[in-house]
Amino acid sequence: MYSISRINTFNTCEYEYYNTYIKKNRGIGNVYSEVGTWIHDTIEDAYRQQNFSKSELIDGLHVKLMELDFLGIDFPNDSIKESFTKDVDAFMKSFSLLDGEFTLEKMFITNINEDIILLGYIDAIQKDRDGKYHIIDWKTSSKFTGKKLQEAGRQLLVYKLGIEQNSDIKVESVKWAMLKYIYVCWVQKNGKVKKKMVNRGKLIKDMRKAFEKDMLNSGMDDIEVQLLLAEAENNNNYDNLPEVIKEKYWTEDCFVEYDSSEDQMQEMKGYIIDTVSAIQNKHVDDESDWNPVDFKRDGTFYCNTLCSHRMSCNFIKDWNSKNKSRGLF
């Protein structure tokens, strides 16, 4: 029996797959997965209890980060840590429960074909006020693009297939709740609503030019505008900004829907079938048959930061040693 994360691991790094699933080496966590798991658990507790304290959520986040720092599990650098913490802090400060009925951590089994079965857990299934069902996956990662978008999207499609195979539920949409981001919204001259995705911790910074333009066009003095924007950026909200801004702009939680058309469902099934075939054609007794990441093509961020075997993998150790001696990093 497989899982979609297991399938994706093979396509990310065969050698990591070999270490994890053939040799059964657990490895170590990384800061993103550890914080992500804590946030998932915290959100689920809030929905189950229908009660939460924002201050306790924020305090809990910082305690978790201190625990990880003590264990030597940290971000790649201080700048990334600061940005991530600001984004998640801002999410916790504005966190509220969504409307509807929720089923949390739903286990499912999906039959891809007669020979391939996938097991997994869905973060949340929302039944909205209209009786429609939506699959929601909480994400603390950066927004997806290109290959990563499709990889993450296949996971949502597996969830949809599993639910629909084992119940009479028809899933209306599959989407990510991108917790680090928020939509800033406004109505354009053509009457259509424009949404801009910005980092929660940089709400004013990312919108500053637009706010500045609107404030100046309203007749405000430039010095006053700059002082108000500096205060707003420091507070990361526009509570102190004039009505010309408050009346025009509003914010919404950032949900990103993935295409769940039949074509995408078939692509997902083909991807899984092809991957399982490739896995089964590997020699479990021959470690050399399991290839590491192509560092020149894929870089080393994953290996040095995310891989659970980054402290023991000789491939990344050798690569780092050779390139450090050349002064490449």
Side-chain angles (χ1 to χ4, degrees), residues 252-273:
E252 295 179 1
D253 287 331
C254 183
F255 291 94
V256 177
E257 187 172 337
Y258 189 73
D259 178 14
S260 57
S261 64
E262 185 57 31
D263 285 346
Q264 292 288 359
M265 297 294 286
Q266 291 303 318
E267 190 281 334
M268 173 270 292
K269 292 178 183 178
Y271 164 81
I272 291 171
I273 291 169

Side-chain angles (χ1 to χ4, degrees), residues 309-322:
H309 306 292
R310 60 190 180 276
M311 301 303 293
S312 59
C313 175
N314 288 327
F315 291 107
I316 190 61
K317 285 181 179 179
D318 290 346
W319 174 270
N320 288 340
S321 176
K322 290 176 183 178

Side-chain angles (χ1 to χ4, degrees), residues 266-282:
Q266 291 303 318
E267 190 281 334
M268 173 270 292
K269 292 178 183 178
Y271 164 81
I272 291 171
I273 291 169
D274 290 346
T275 302
V276 171
S277 176
I279 292 171
Q280 292 176 342
N281 284 326
K282 290 289 181 180

Side-chain angles (χ1 to χ4, degrees), residues 16 19-21 23-29 307-309:
E16 182 185 9
N19 261 305
T20 303
Y21 299 106
K23 295 182 72 176
K24 307 296 184 183
N25 293 330
R26 292 187 61 186
I28 58 174
C307 179
S308 57
H309 306 292

Side-chain angles (χ1 to χ4, degrees), residues 101-131:
E101 300 174 16
F102 279 80
T103 302
L104 306 170
E105 276 297 296
K106 175 69 175 178
M107 188 185 79
F108 69 91
I109 295 176
T110 303
N111 293 84
I112 301 300
N113 59 24
E114 292 181 357
D115 301 315
I116 302 174
I117 298 174
L118 267 62
L119 173 69
Y121 292 86
I122 301 171
D123 284 354
I125 303 171
Q126 177 194 35
K127 182 180 179 182
D128 66 22
R129 292 178 178 178
D130 297 325

Side-chain angles (χ1 to χ4, degrees), residues 29 72 105 115-116 120 137 150 177 213 220 234 284 294 300 325 329:
E105 276 297 296
D115 301 315
I116 302 174
D137 196 30
Q150 187 174 49
K213 181 179 178 180
M220 292 180 64
N234 183 61
V284 297
D294 184 341
T300 60
S325 65
F329 68 91

